[in-house]
Amino acid sequence: MFSFFFFRKSYCGEKMTLYHFVNCLALGYTPYFLTYKYSGMSEYGVFWKCVQAGIGYVLTQLVKMLLLATFFPSMEGHTGGSSFDFFGEFLRTTVDLGDLLGIYLILSHIGGKNDMRLMAVAVGWSMAEFVLTKLLPLWVGARGLEFDWKHMQSALDSNVALVANLASVALVWMWSRNDLTGGLVPLVLLLLLTSAYKPLIVNLTSHALELGNWHTFFVKTSLVFSLALLSFQVYIGLAGKIGN
């Protein structure tokens, strides 16, 4: 009787943790699927472009890891538990400028209609980021015996990353154009730098205000959506002029 009860409890526990993993996976993956299916990307056959962007993401992260290991070794041992190493964080975040360079190189080697090309790069880049940085922790953590909200937050964070990458791709495309007017140059540059140094801004704000995980997530989400709104407005205006 005791064996049956223990087996039933273990089975139900495994079943619930599996449901939790599936829910987190669906929450993180569904926006990518919906974006691909209902944005017209599936009709233009840009799947291979998404794969190319994903490969570009992997190569970019490998180069960044090499740079970090070579020139910016970990400084965790030199900081206290509650102190914020601004200089170390600044150096590490500066390496994220490599993401913008990687996106630029991918855009340079992928042809097609502008809107679909930018969408393909953003979705492919974001999907590769989700698989490499979110999927394994979800598989290991969300299937644990105890429910933890951090896995839901991780899944939601992948949605925010998609919006952030869409904005970054649009900004890189605008910056690479020769017909970018003088008035827009400083604005696009400011948005590009904000996009690259976003982790530093969020971490600094979180440390200064002593925010918890969810409050930090809301700060990051607000910054990403504000940045994306401005970027898309500039992009729509520039794309409209090109169309005319």
CSV table of all heavy atoms in Angstrom, one decimal, residues 145-200:
chain,number,residue,atom,x,y,z
A,145,LEU,N,11.2,19.2,-9.0
A,145,LEU,CA,10.1,18.8,-8.1
A,145,LEU,C,9.4,19.9,-7.5
A,145,LEU,O,8.3,19.8,-7.1
A,145,LEU,CB,10.6,17.8,-7.0
A,145,LEU,CG,11.2,16.5,-7.5
A,145,LEU,CD1,11.7,15.7,-6.3
A,145,LEU,CD2,10.2,15.7,-8.3
A,146,GLU,N,10.0,21.1,-7.5
A,146,GLU,CA,9.4,22.3,-6.9
A,146,GLU,C,9.1,23.4,-8.0
A,146,GLU,O,10.0,23.6,-8.8
A,146,GLU,CB,10.3,22.9,-5.8
A,146,GLU,CG,10.4,22.0,-4.6
A,146,GLU,CD,11.2,22.6,-3.5
A,146,GLU,OE1,11.6,23.8,-3.7
A,146,GLU,OE2,11.5,22.0,-2.5
A,147,PHE,N,8.0,24.0,-7.9
A,147,PHE,CA,7.6,25.0,-8.9
A,147,PHE,C,8.4,26.3,-8.5
A,147,PHE,O,8.6,26.6,-7.3
A,147,PHE,CB,6.1,25.3,-8.8
A,147,PHE,CG,5.7,26.5,-9.6
A,147,PHE,CD1,5.4,26.3,-10.9
A,147,PHE,CD2,5.5,27.8,-9.0
A,147,PHE,CE1,5.0,27.4,-11.7
A,147,PHE,CE2,5.1,28.8,-9.8
A,147,PHE,CZ,4.9,28.7,-11.1
A,148,ASP,N,8.9,27.0,-9.5
A,148,ASP,CA,9.7,28.2,-9.3
A,148,ASP,C,9.3,29.2,-10.4
A,148,ASP,O,9.3,28.9,-11.6
A,148,ASP,CB,11.2,27.9,-9.4
A,148,ASP,CG,12.0,29.0,-8.8
A,148,ASP,OD1,11.6,30.2,-8.9
A,148,ASP,OD2,13.1,28.7,-8.2
A,149,TRP,N,8.9,30.4,-9.9
A,149,TRP,CA,8.5,31.4,-10.8
A,149,TRP,C,9.6,31.9,-11.8
A,149,TRP,O,9.3,32.5,-12.8
A,149,TRP,CB,7.9,32.6,-10.1
A,149,TRP,CG,6.5,32.4,-9.6
A,149,TRP,CD1,6.1,32.1,-8.3
A,149,TRP,CD2,5.3,32.5,-10.4
A,149,TRP,NE1,4.7,32.0,-8.3
A,149,TRP,CE2,4.2,32.3,-9.5
A,149,TRP,CE3,5.1,32.8,-11.7
A,149,TRP,CZ2,2.9,32.3,-10.0
A,149,TRP,CZ3,3.8,32.8,-12.2
A,149,TRP,CH2,2.7,32.6,-11.3
A,150,LYS,N,10.8,31.6,-11.4
A,150,LYS,CA,11.9,32.1,-12.3
A,150,LYS,C,11.9,31.5,-13.7
A,150,LYS,O,12.4,32.1,-14.6
A,150,LYS,CB,13.3,31.9,-11.6
A,150,LYS,CG,13.7,30.4,-11.6
A,150,LYS,CD,15.1,30.2,-10.9
A,150,LYS,CE,15.5,28.8,-10.9
A,150,LYS,NZ,16.8,28.6,-10.2
A,151,HIS,N,11.3,30.3,-13.8
A,151,HIS,CA,11.2,29.7,-15.1
A,151,HIS,C,10.1,30.4,-16.0
A,151,HIS,O,10.3,30.5,-17.2
A,151,HIS,CB,10.9,28.2,-15.0
A,151,HIS,CG,11.9,27.5,-14.1
A,151,HIS,ND1,13.3,27.5,-14.4
A,151,HIS,CD2,11.8,26.8,-12.9
A,151,HIS,CE1,13.9,26.8,-13.5
A,151,HIS,NE2,13.0,26.4,-12.6
A,152,MET,N,9.1,30.8,-15.3
A,152,MET,CA,8.1,31.6,-16.0
A,152,MET,C,8.7,32.9,-16.5
A,152,MET,O,8.4,33.4,-17.6
A,152,MET,CB,6.8,31.8,-15.1
A,152,MET,CG,6.1,30.5,-14.7
A,152,MET,SD,5.3,29.8,-16.1
A,152,MET,CE,3.9,30.9,-16.4
A,153,GLN,N,9.4,33.5,-15.6
A,153,GLN,CA,10.1,34.8,-15.9
A,153,GLN,C,11.1,34.6,-17.1
A,153,GLN,O,11.2,35.5,-17.9
A,153,GLN,CB,10.8,35.3,-14.7
A,153,GLN,CG,11.5,36.6,-14.9
A,153,GLN,CD,12.2,37.2,-13.7
A,153,GLN,OE1,11.9,36.8,-12.5
A,153,GLN,NE2,13.1,38.0,-13.9
A,154,SER,N,11.8,33.5,-17.1
A,154,SER,CA,12.7,33.2,-18.2
A,154,SER,C,12.0,33.1,-19.5
A,154,SER,O,12.4,33.6,-20.5
A,154,SER,CB,13.5,31.9,-17.9
A,154,SER,OG,14.4,31.6,-18.9
A,155,ALA,N,10.8,32.4,-19.5
A,155,ALA,CA,10.0,32.3,-20.7
A,155,ALA,C,9.5,33.6,-21.2
A,155,ALA,O,9.5,33.9,-22.4
A,155,ALA,CB,8.9,31.3,-20.5
A,156,LEU,N,9.0,34.4,-20.2
A,156,LEU,CA,8.6,35.8,-20.6
A,156,LEU,C,9.7,36.6,-21.1
A,156,LEU,O,9.6,37.4,-22.0
A,156,LEU,CB,7.9,36.5,-19.4
A,156,LEU,CG,6.6,35.9,-18.9
A,156,LEU,CD1,6.2,36.5,-17.6
A,156,LEU,CD2,5.5,36.1,-20.0
A,157,ASP,N,10.9,36.4,-20.6
A,157,ASP,CA,12.1,37.2,-21.0
A,157,ASP,C,12.4,36.9,-22.4
A,157,ASP,O,12.9,37.8,-23.2
A,157,ASP,CB,13.3,36.9,-20.1
A,157,ASP,CG,14.5,37.8,-20.4
A,157,ASP,OD1,14.4,39.0,-20.1
A,157,ASP,OD2,15.5,37.2,-20.8
A,158,SER,N,12.2,35.7,-22.9
A,158,SER,CA,12.4,35.4,-24.3
A,158,SER,C,11.5,36.2,-25.2
A,158,SER,O,11.9,36.5,-26.4
A,158,SER,CB,12.3,33.9,-24.5
A,158,SER,OG,10.9,33.5,-24.4
A,159,ASN,N,10.3,36.5,-24.8
A,159,ASN,CA,9.4,37.3,-25.6
A,159,ASN,C,9.9,38.7,-25.7
A,159,ASN,O,9.9,39.4,-26.7
A,159,ASN,CB,8.0,37.3,-24.9
A,159,ASN,CG,7.4,35.9,-24.8
A,159,ASN,OD1,7.8,35.0,-25.5
A,159,ASN,ND2,6.4,35.8,-23.9
A,160,VAL,N,10.4,39.2,-24.5
A,160,VAL,CA,11.0,40.6,-24.5
A,160,VAL,C,12.2,40.6,-25.4
A,160,VAL,O,12.5,41.6,-26.1
A,160,VAL,CB,11.4,41.0,-23.1
A,160,VAL,CG1,12.1,42.3,-23.1
A,160,VAL,CG2,10.2,41.0,-22.2
A,161,ALA,N,13.0,39.5,-25.4
A,161,ALA,CA,14.2,39.5,-26.3
A,161,ALA,C,13.9,39.5,-27.8
A,161,ALA,O,14.6,40.1,-28.5
A,161,ALA,CB,15.0,38.2,-26.0
A,162,LEU,N,12.7,39.0,-28.1
A,162,LEU,CA,12.3,39.0,-29.5
A,162,LEU,C,12.0,40.5,-29.9
A,162,LEU,O,12.4,40.9,-31.0
A,162,LEU,CB,11.0,38.2,-29.7
A,162,LEU,CG,10.4,38.2,-31.1
A,162,LEU,CD1,11.3,37.8,-32.2
A,162,LEU,CD2,9.1,37.4,-31.1
A,163,VAL,N,11.3,41.2,-29.1
A,163,VAL,CA,11.1,42.6,-29.4
A,163,VAL,C,12.4,43.4,-29.4
A,163,VAL,O,12.6,44.3,-30.3
A,163,VAL,CB,10.1,43.2,-28.3
A,163,VAL,CG1,9.9,44.7,-28.6
A,163,VAL,CG2,8.8,42.5,-28.3
A,164,ALA,N,13.3,43.2,-28.5
A,164,ALA,CA,14.5,43.9,-28.5
A,164,ALA,C,15.4,43.6,-29.7
A,164,ALA,O,16.0,44.5,-30.3
A,164,ALA,CB,15.3,43.4,-27.2
A,165,ASN,N,15.3,42.3,-30.2
A,165,ASN,CA,16.1,42.0,-31.4
A,165,ASN,C,15.5,42.6,-32.6
A,165,ASN,O,16.2,43.0,-33.6
A,165,ASN,CB,16.2,40.5,-31.5
A,165,ASN,CG,17.1,39.9,-30.4
A,165,ASN,OD1,18.1,40.5,-30.0
A,165,ASN,ND2,16.9,38.7,-30.0
A,166,LEU,N,14.2,42.6,-32.7
A,166,LEU,CA,13.5,43.3,-33.8
A,166,LEU,C,14.0,44.8,-33.9
A,166,LEU,O,14.3,45.3,-35.0
A,166,LEU,CB,12.0,43.2,-33.7
A,166,LEU,CG,11.4,41.9,-34.0
A,166,LEU,CD1,9.9,41.8,-33.5
A,166,LEU,CD2,11.4,41.6,-35.5
A,167,ALA,N,14.0,45.4,-32.8
A,167,ALA,CA,14.4,46.8,-32.7
A,167,ALA,C,15.9,47.0,-33.1
A,167,ALA,O,16.3,47.9,-33.9
A,167,ALA,CB,14.2,47.4,-31.3
A,168,SER,N,16.7,46.1,-32.6
A,168,SER,CA,18.2,46.1,-32.9
A,168,SER,C,18.4,45.9,-34.4
A,168,SER,O,19.3,46.6,-35.0
A,168,SER,CB,18.9,45.1,-32.1
A,168,SER,OG,18.8,45.3,-30.7
A,169,VAL,N,17.7,45.0,-35.0
A,169,VAL,CA,17.9,44.7,-36.4
A,169,VAL,C,17.5,45.9,-37.3
A,169,VAL,O,18.2,46.3,-38.2
A,169,VAL,CB,17.1,43.5,-36.9
A,169,VAL,CG1,17.1,43.3,-38.4
A,169,VAL,CG2,17.7,42.2,-36.2
A,170,ALA,N,16.4,46.5,-36.9
A,170,ALA,CA,15.9,47.7,-37.6
A,170,ALA,C,16.9,48.9,-37.5
A,170,ALA,O,17.2,49.6,-38.4
A,170,ALA,CB,14.5,48.2,-37.1
A,171,LEU,N,17.5,49.0,-36.3
A,171,LEU,CA,18.4,50.1,-36.0
A,171,LEU,C,19.7,49.9,-36.8
A,171,LEU,O,20.3,50.8,-37.4
A,171,LEU,CB,18.7,50.2,-34.5
A,171,LEU,CG,17.6,50.8,-33.7
A,171,LEU,CD1,18.0,50.6,-32.2
A,171,LEU,CD2,17.4,52.3,-33.9
A,172,VAL,N,20.2,48.6,-36.8
A,172,VAL,CA,21.4,48.3,-37.6
A,172,VAL,C,21.2,48.6,-39.1
A,172,VAL,O,22.0,49.1,-39.8
A,172,VAL,CB,21.8,46.9,-37.4
A,172,VAL,CG1,23.0,46.5,-38.3
A,172,VAL,CG2,22.3,46.7,-35.9
A,173,TRP,N,20.0,48.2,-39.6
A,173,TRP,CA,19.7,48.4,-41.0
A,173,TRP,C,19.7,49.9,-41.3
A,173,TRP,O,20.2,50.4,-42.3
A,173,TRP,CB,18.3,47.8,-41.3
A,173,TRP,CG,17.9,48.1,-42.7
A,173,TRP,CD1,18.3,47.5,-43.9
A,173,TRP,CD2,17.0,49.1,-43.2
A,173,TRP,NE1,17.7,48.0,-45.0
A,173,TRP,CE2,16.9,49.0,-44.6
A,173,TRP,CE3,16.2,50.1,-42.5
A,173,TRP,CZ2,16.0,49.9,-45.3
A,173,TRP,CZ3,15.4,50.9,-43.2
A,173,TRP,CH2,15.3,50.8,-44.6
A,174,MET,N,19.1,50.7,-40.4
A,174,MET,CA,19.0,52.2,-40.7
A,174,MET,C,20.4,52.8,-40.6
A,174,MET,O,20.7,53.7,-41.4
A,174,MET,CB,18.1,52.8,-39.6
A,174,MET,CG,16.6,52.5,-39.9
A,174,MET,SD,15.5,53.5,-38.7
A,174,MET,CE,15.8,52.6,-37.2
A,175,TRP,N,21.2,52.4,-39.7
A,175,TRP,CA,22.6,52.9,-39.5
A,175,TRP,C,23.4,52.6,-40.8
A,175,TRP,O,24.3,53.4,-41.1
A,175,TRP,CB,23.2,52.4,-38.3
A,175,TRP,CG,24.6,52.9,-38.0
A,175,TRP,CD1,25.8,52.2,-38.2
A,175,TRP,CD2,24.9,54.2,-37.5
A,175,TRP,NE1,26.8,53.1,-37.9
A,175,TRP,CE2,26.3,54.3,-37.5
A,175,TRP,CE3,24.2,55.3,-37.2
A,175,TRP,CZ2,27.0,55.4,-37.0
A,175,TRP,CZ3,24.8,56.5,-36.8
A,175,TRP,CH2,26.2,56.5,-36.7
A,176,SER,N,23.2,51.5,-41.4
A,176,SER,CA,24.0,51.0,-42.5
A,176,SER,C,23.6,51.7,-43.8
A,176,SER,O,24.3,51.6,-44.8
A,176,SER,CB,23.8,49.5,-42.7
A,176,SER,OG,22.5,49.2,-43.1
A,177,ARG,N,22.5,52.5,-43.8
A,177,ARG,CA,22.1,53.1,-45.0
A,177,ARG,C,22.8,54.5,-45.3
A,177,ARG,O,23.1,55.2,-44.3
A,177,ARG,CB,20.6,53.4,-45.0
A,177,ARG,CG,19.7,52.1,-45.0
A,177,ARG,CD,18.3,52.4,-45.3
A,177,ARG,NE,18.2,53.0,-46.6
A,177,ARG,CZ,18.1,52.3,-47.8
A,177,ARG,NH1,18.2,51.0,-47.7
A,177,ARG,NH2,18.0,52.9,-48.9
A,178,ASN,N,23.1,54.7,-46.5
A,178,ASN,CA,23.8,56.0,-46.9
A,178,ASN,C,22.8,57.2,-46.9
A,178,ASN,O,23.3,58.3,-46.9
A,178,ASN,CB,24.4,55.8,-48.3
A,178,ASN,CG,25.5,54.8,-48.3
A,178,ASN,OD1,26.2,54.6,-47.3
A,178,ASN,ND2,25.7,54.0,-49.4
A,179,ASP,N,21.5,56.9,-47.0
A,179,ASP,CA,20.5,58.0,-47.2
A,179,ASP,C,19.9,58.4,-45.8
A,179,ASP,O,18.9,59.1,-45.8
A,179,ASP,CB,19.4,57.6,-48.1
A,179,ASP,CG,18.7,56.3,-47.8
A,179,ASP,OD1,19.2,55.7,-46.8
A,179,ASP,OD2,17.8,55.9,-48.4
A,180,LEU,N,20.6,58.0,-44.7
A,180,LEU,CA,20.1,58.4,-43.4
A,180,LEU,C,20.4,59.9,-43.2
A,180,LEU,O,21.6,60.3,-43.3
A,180,LEU,CB,20.8,57.6,-42.3
A,180,LEU,CG,20.3,57.7,-40.9
A,180,LEU,CD1,18.9,57.2,-40.8
A,180,LEU,CD2,21.2,57.0,-39.9
A,181,THR,N,19.4,60.7,-43.0
A,181,THR,CA,19.6,62.1,-43.0
A,181,THR,C,20.3,62.5,-41.7
A,181,THR,O,20.3,61.8,-40.7
A,181,THR,CB,18.2,62.8,-43.0
A,181,THR,OG1,17.4,62.3,-41.9
A,181,THR,CG2,17.5,62.5,-44.3
A,182,GLY,N,20.9,63.7,-41.8
A,182,GLY,CA,21.7,64.2,-40.6
A,182,GLY,C,21.0,64.3,-39.3
A,182,GLY,O,21.6,64.0,-38.3
A,183,GLY,N,19.7,64.7,-39.4
A,183,GLY,CA,18.9,64.8,-38.1
A,183,GLY,C,18.7,63.4,-37.4
A,183,GLY,O,18.5,63.4,-36.2
A,184,LEU,N,18.6,62.4,-38.2
A,184,LEU,CA,18.4,61.1,-37.7
A,184,LEU,C,19.6,60.3,-37.2
A,184,LEU,O,19.5,59.4,-36.4
A,184,LEU,CB,17.6,60.2,-38.7
A,184,LEU,CG,16.2,60.6,-39.0
A,184,LEU,CD1,15.6,59.7,-40.1
A,184,LEU,CD2,15.3,60.6,-37.8
A,185,VAL,N,20.8,60.8,-37.7
A,185,VAL,CA,22.0,60.1,-37.3
A,185,VAL,C,22.3,60.0,-35.8
A,185,VAL,O,22.5,58.9,-35.3
A,185,VAL,CB,23.2,60.7,-38.0
A,185,VAL,CG1,24.5,60.1,-37.5
A,185,VAL,CG2,23.1,60.5,-39.6
A,186,PRO,N,22.2,61.1,-35.1
A,186,PRO,CA,22.5,61.1,-33.6
A,186,PRO,C,21.4,60.3,-32.9
A,186,PRO,O,21.7,59.6,-31.9
A,186,PRO,CB,22.5,62.5,-33.2
A,186,PRO,CG,21.8,63.3,-34.3
A,186,PRO,CD,22.1,62.5,-35.5
A,187,LEU,N,20.1,60.3,-33.4
A,187,LEU,CA,19.1,59.6,-32.7
A,187,LEU,C,19.3,58.1,-32.9
A,187,LEU,O,19.2,57.3,-31.9
A,187,LEU,CB,17.7,60.0,-33.3
A,187,LEU,CG,16.5,59.2,-32.8
A,187,LEU,CD1,16.4,59.4,-31.3
A,187,LEU,CD2,15.2,59.7,-33.5
A,188,VAL,N,19.6,57.6,-34.1
A,188,VAL,CA,19.8,56.2,-34.4
A,188,VAL,C,21.0,55.7,-33.6
A,188,VAL,O,21.0,54.6,-33.0
A,188,VAL,CB,20.0,56.0,-35.9
A,188,VAL,CG1,20.4,54.5,-36.1
A,188,VAL,CG2,18.6,56.3,-36.6
A,189,LEU,N,22.1,56.6,-33.5
A,189,LEU,CA,23.3,56.2,-32.8
A,189,LEU,C,23.0,56.0,-31.3
A,189,LEU,O,23.4,55.1,-30.7
A,189,LEU,CB,24.4,57.2,-33.0
A,189,LEU,CG,25.7,57.0,-32.2
A,189,LEU,CD1,26.3,55.7,-32.6
A,189,LEU,CD2,26.6,58.2,-32.5
A,190,LEU,N,22.2,57.0,-30.8
A,190,LEU,CA,21.8,56.9,-29.4
A,190,LEU,C,21.0,55.6,-29.1
A,190,LEU,O,21.2,54.9,-28.1
A,190,LEU,CB,21.0,58.1,-29.0
A,190,LEU,CG,20.4,58.2,-27.5
A,190,LEU,CD1,21.6,58.1,-26.5
A,190,LEU,CD2,19.6,59.4,-27.3
A,191,LEU,N,20.1,55.3,-30.0
A,191,LEU,CA,19.2,54.1,-29.8
A,191,LEU,C,20.1,52.8,-29.9
A,191,LEU,O,19.9,51.9,-29.2
A,191,LEU,CB,18.1,54.1,-30.8
A,191,LEU,CG,17.0,55.2,-30.7
A,191,LEU,CD1,16.1,55.1,-31.8
A,191,LEU,CD2,16.3,55.0,-29.4
A,192,LEU,N,21.1,52.9,-30.8
A,192,LEU,CA,22.0,51.7,-30.9
A,192,LEU,C,22.8,51.5,-29.7
A,192,LEU,O,22.9,50.4,-29.2
A,192,LEU,CB,22.9,51.9,-32.1
A,192,LEU,CG,22.4,51.5,-33.5
A,192,LEU,CD1,23.3,52.0,-34.6
A,192,LEU,CD2,22.2,50.0,-33.6
A,193,LEU,N,23.3,52.6,-29.1
A,193,LEU,CA,24.1,52.4,-27.9
A,193,LEU,C,23.3,52.0,-26.7
A,193,LEU,O,23.7,51.2,-25.9
A,193,LEU,CB,24.8,53.8,-27.6
A,193,LEU,CG,25.9,54.2,-28.6
A,193,LEU,CD1,26.4,55.6,-28.2
A,193,LEU,CD2,27.0,53.2,-28.6
A,194,THR,N,22.0,52.5,-26.7
A,194,THR,CA,21.1,52.1,-25.6
A,194,THR,C,20.8,50.6,-25.7
A,194,THR,O,20.7,49.9,-24.7
A,194,THR,CB,19.8,52.9,-25.7
A,194,THR,OG1,20.1,54.3,-25.6
A,194,THR,CG2,18.9,52.6,-24.5
A,195,SER,N,20.6,50.2,-27.0
A,195,SER,CA,20.3,48.8,-27.2
A,195,SER,C,21.5,47.9,-26.7
A,195,SER,O,21.3,46.8,-26.1
A,195,SER,CB,20.0,48.5,-28.7
A,195,SER,OG,19.9,47.2,-29.0
A,196,ALA,N,22.7,48.3,-27.1
A,196,ALA,CA,23.9,47.5,-26.7
A,196,ALA,C,24.2,47.5,-25.2
A,196,ALA,O,24.5,46.5,-24.6
A,196,ALA,CB,25.1,48.1,-27.5
A,197,TYR,N,24.0,48.7,-24.6
A,197,TYR,CA,24.3,48.8,-23.1
A,197,TYR,C,23.1,48.7,-22.3
A,197,TYR,O,23.1,49.0,-21.1
A,197,TYR,CB,24.9,50.2,-22.9
A,197,TYR,CG,26.4,50.3,-23.4
A,197,TYR,CD1,26.7,50.8,-24.6
A,197,TYR,CD2,27.4,49.8,-22.6
A,197,TYR,CE1,28.0,50.9,-25.1
A,197,TYR,CE2,28.7,49.8,-23.0
A,197,TYR,CZ,29.0,50.4,-24.3
A,197,TYR,OH,30.3,50.4,-24.7
A,198,LYS,N,22.0,48.1,-22.8
A,198,LYS,CA,20.8,47.8,-22.1
A,198,LYS,C,21.0,47.0,-20.8
A,198,LYS,O,20.5,47.3,-19.7
A,198,LYS,CB,19.8,47.1,-23.0
A,198,LYS,CG,18.5,46.8,-22.3
A,198,LYS,CD,17.5,46.3,-23.4
A,198,LYS,CE,17.8,45.0,-24.0
A,198,LYS,NZ,18.7,45.0,-25.1
A,199,PRO,N,21.8,45.9,-20.8
A,199,PRO,CA,22.0,45.1,-19.6
A,199,PRO,C,22.7,46.0,-18.5
A,199,PRO,O,22.4,45.8,-17.3
A,199,PRO,CB,23.0,44.0,-20.1
A,199,PRO,CG,22.7,43.8,-21.5
A,199,PRO,CD,22.4,45.2,-22.0
A,200,LEU,N,23.6,46.8,-18.9
A,200,LEU,CA,24.3,47.7,-17.9
A,200,LEU,C,23.3,48.7,-17.3
A,200,LEU,O,23.3,48.9,-16.1
A,200,LEU,CB,25.4,48.4,-18.6
A,200,LEU,CG,26.2,49.4,-17.7
A,200,LEU,CD1,26.9,48.7,-16.5
A,200,LEU,CD2,27.2,50.2,-18.5
